[in-house]
């Protein structure tokens, strides 16, 4: 189990490894994010477009606090059923964290390389400016 696609279909991104407590209002319609990509977790913001996943529409029965699933593997959507504690979900979450960390490290490395190139370019320009200044002083 991992983020992306599988033989069974699209696989959600694990938004968090624990549920989120939310206050629901009786009779109000909600759209629970099933893809895990929403920036408005646990609710949909449209980020699912192109994932093959769609939000789960539900209407609150009564005004109360409920724990909504953030791992996106609950069998009682949108409510948490403890699936975030299952070894395969924990493994998928850890893979996501490692992948994100790897991408972050790659970005840092690219920035460091760009910084080295910038320093070299500045040094070359400084040497060229000094050479031009020296050339101007040596004219007779």
């Amino acid at each position: 189990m991992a983020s992306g696609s599988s033989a069974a279909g699209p696989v959600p991104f694990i938004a968090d490894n624990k549920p989120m407590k939310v206050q629901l209002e009786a009779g109000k319609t909600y759209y629970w994010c099933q893809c895990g990509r929403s920036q408005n977790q646990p609710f949909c913001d449209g980020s699912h477009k192109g994932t093959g996943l769609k939000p789960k529409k539900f209407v609150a029965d009564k005004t109360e606090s409920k724990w909504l699933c953030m791992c996106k593997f609950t069998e009682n959507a949108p409510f948490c059923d403890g699936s975030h504690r299952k070894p395969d979900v924990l493994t998928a979450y850890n893979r996501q964290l490692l992948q994100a960390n790897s991408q972050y490290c790659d970005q840092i490395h690219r920035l460091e390389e760009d910084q080295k190139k910038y320093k070299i370019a500045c040094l070359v320009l400084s040497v060229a400016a000094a050479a031009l200044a020296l050339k101007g002083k040596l004219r007779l």
Side-chain angles (χ1 to χ4, degrees), residues 5-140:
S5 292
S6 73
V11 179
F13 183 83
I14 299 170
D16 203 346
N17 66 344
K18 59 190 173 301
M20 180 183 284
K21 188 176 185 180
V22 297
Q23 182 67 28
L24 302 175
E25 295 177 35
K28 185 173 178 181
T29 301
Y30 296 90
Y31 293 87
W32 174 71
C33 170
Q34 287 196 93
C35 73
R37 288 163 176 76
S38 173
Q39 297 299 307
N40 188 33
Q41 291 292 334
F43 303 108
C44 178
D45 69 358
S47 296
H48 62 275
K49 289 182 180 37
T51 67
L53 296 165
K54 295 186 186 226
K56 172 151 180 82
K57 178 181 176 180
F58 72 100
V59 178
D61 294 334
K62 55 185 175 178
T63 298
E64 63 182 336
S65 292
K66 286 287 200 175
W67 291 95
L68 299 189
C69 176
M70 295 289 284
C71 77
K72 310 305 178 183
F73 287 93
T74 182
E75 293 183 26
N76 187 30
F79 308 105
C80 177
D81 68 358
S83 290
H84 59 276
R85 294 188 191 107
K86 292 180 181 177
D88 56 340
V89 175
L90 289 170
T91 298
Y93 184 65
N94 286 332
R95 277 193 194 119
Q96 280 182 199
L97 292 175
L98 288 171
Q99 182 180 16
N101 186 50
S102 174
Q103 290 170 350
Y104 176 73
C105 288
D106 288 346
Q107 289 174 348
I108 296 276
H109 179 71
R110 283 192 296 276
L111 289 172
E112 288 171 344
E113 289 300 314
D114 288 347
Q115 187 177 28
K116 286 178 190 174
K117 291 175 187 173
Y118 175 75
K119 286 181 179 179
I120 290 169
C122 287
L123 180 62
V124 168
L125 289 173
S126 295
V127 169
L132 287 172
L134 184 61
K135 183 178 178 185
K137 288 182 181 178
L138 293 177
R139 283 196 189 154
L140 297 173

